[in-house]
Amino acid sequence: MTAITTRKLGRTGPTTSALGLGAMGMSDLYGPADEAESIATIHAALDAGITLIDTGDFYGMGHNELLIHQALRGRDRESVQLSVKFGAQRGPDGAWIGYDASPAATKTALAYTLKRLGTEYIDVYRPARLDPNVPIEETVGAIAEMVKAGYVRHIGLSEVGAATLRRAAAVHPISDLQIEYSLLSRTLEAEVLPTARELGIAVTAYGVLSRGLLSGHWSADRAMAGTDFRGHSPRFQGENLTHNLSLVEALRAIAQAKGATVAQVAIAWVAAQGEDIVPLVGARRRERLTEALGSLRVQLDAADLAAIEAAVPAGAAAGERYAAAQMASLDSEQSAPGAH
């Protein structure tokens, strides 16, 4: 197996594995998951050299953090970087009922997260979205107090635009911006990514396989569980899906020529966009993790990158990455032209 190299999360952040594990799907939003297989997958990731695990306190209403706590029992805490998002409010039925990143809510959420994860500190703590009712300076200021107190080591952000990045970084160093980045989601390239680089902020890229669309395993007739958010995602509907799957087939031809899978090339493409980018893979099963780890062996030269660009040019995807109401709430998309 290819050894996993490391990358640094920005000028001030931690050094992590060059590939991270996103644990959301083990608890929520992609339909039922197998808990034993989820834990086995986390163990396999750690054993392979992945050190960055990303979660959110609202993934399964705390279930994801409890799952990670269970998986990390007996492991060296200092060898793992835990990245946690907070702020989304949910009801007992799982309904999304608002957002709160006020200073008091920030500290309360952190207290519960520390307890569920069974740890004394979080490596990177971040609001999952910009709270429209709370200045980013107040949210970052509250986390900065928690850094000073030793409960948090680094501050991250998620899905914010360039102006918000600047305002946040003026309050406290920001290690990384977590944002969707894939061959099908490239709006950050216009303004957000250059600003992050100017400020010395890394990118932890989620959705590198565009929610499974770029996995090479998706089919037009695939049935989805009622709890699978992709059933409402514009990119997975009707003619949009047909078009997007044609892009996948164009990518498949390039992958086959490289002796790789579609997923491996898609992940390798994100990693090739800069040493300051760490792809997060949302593998829920060991076989998918193994495939994702294979992306580390895929070397893309200039000719490969040009062929990929020709097959899946920027803005080629049909449909937005979220439904209209969610897109409107994304600070990262408000000044970004083009396809999402």
Side-chain angles (χ1 to χ4, degrees):
M1 184 176 286
T2 305
I4 300 183
T5 56
T6 59
R7 292 188 171 184
K8 196 170 188 306
L9 293 190
R11 283 191 203 125
T12 61
T15 296
T16 76
S17 50
L19 200 63
L21 179 66
M24 180 186 79
M26 296 176 178
S27 299
D28 212 355
L29 300 172
Y30 288 157
D34 181 322
E35 193 161 296
E37 180 60 25
S38 295
I39 290 171
T41 301
I42 294 171
H43 287 165
L46 296 170
D47 292 342
I50 287 179
T51 64
L52 179 63
I53 300 178
D54 182 77
T55 183
D57 63 10
F58 47 90
Y59 293 163
M61 287 65 76
H63 176 271
N64 207 236
E65 292 177 322
L66 292 167
L67 181 79
I68 291 168
H69 179 189
Q70 194 175 339
L72 292 181
R73 279 204 179 102
R75 299 276 175 161
D76 174 20
R77 171 67 183 93
E78 285 289 325
S79 69
V80 180
Q81 297 87 42
L82 294 175
S83 161
V84 181
K85 292 181 292 298
F86 71 92
Q89 306 294 293
R90 302 184 74 174
D93 60 352
W96 303 93
I97 56 175
Y99 195 83
D100 192 349
S102 64
T106 296
K107 294 173 184 179
T108 301
L110 175 62
Y112 282 81
T113 278
L114 291 167
K115 187 69 72 174
R116 282 189 294 261
L117 282 167
T119 184
E120 295 178 352
Y121 67 93
I122 302 302
D123 296 273
V124 188
Y125 199 54
R126 71 184 85 237
R129 297 287 185 266
L130 177 68
D131 186 335
N133 302 311
V134 179
I136 191 64
E137 290 87 350
E138 292 186 18
T139 303
V140 171
I143 307 174
E145 289 177 29
M146 298 294 93
V147 172
K148 197 170 180 181
Y151 297 116
V152 172
R153 293 200 169 166
H154 305 279
I155 302 178
L157 293 171
S158 178
E159 289 291 355
V160 299
T164 303
L165 268 183
R166 291 188 189 283
R167 288 171 55 190
V171 176
H172 188 279
I174 303 299
S175 64
D176 65 303
L177 170 67
Q178 192 173 115
I179 192 166
E180 186 166 350
Y181 192 23
S182 73
L183 278 164
L184 300 184
S185 300
R186 295 176 59 177
T187 46
L188 80 161
E189 293 175 344
E191 189 181 7
V192 175
L193 185 55
T195 300
R197 285 177 166 158
E198 177 194 330
L199 297 169
I201 297 170
V203 165
T204 41
Y206 76 89
V208 291
L209 297 181
S210 196
R211 312 293 189 170
L213 200 47
L214 285 170
S215 67
H217 306 295
W218 201 270
S219 61
D221 57 356
R222 176 164 166 169
M224 284 180 271
T227 53
D228 193 326
F229 106 100
R230 291 171 293 195
H232 312 285
S233 171
R235 287 188 179 166
F236 288 83
Q237 311 305 313
E239 292 180 5
N240 285 355
L241 179 60
T242 302
H243 170 83
N244 293 333
L245 287 176
S246 73
L247 298 176
V248 175
E249 291 313 306
L251 194 60
R252 195 185 304 275
I254 296 169
Q256 287 174 341
K258 295 285 295 179
T261 68
V262 174
Q264 287 167 346
V265 168
I267 298 166
W269 180 87
V270 174
Q273 301 312 301
E275 287 292 320
D276 55 350
I277 296 172
V278 175
L280 298 171
V281 295
R284 300 195 291 169
R285 304 198 308 275
R286 283 168 287 181
E287 65 193 79
R288 291 287 182 257
L289 174 69
T290 299
E291 182 181 17
L293 288 166
S295 70
L296 299 167
R297 295 192 298 271
V298 179
Q299 300 296 317
L300 300 176
D301 59 24
D304 295 325
L305 292 169
I308 291 168
E309 186 74 30
V312 189
E320 304 282 22
R321 57 192 180 104
Y322 288 109
Q326 287 174 288
M327 286 298 292
S329 73
L330 289 178
D331 183 57
S332 55
E333 295 286 356
Q334 299 320 303
S335 60
H340 307 97

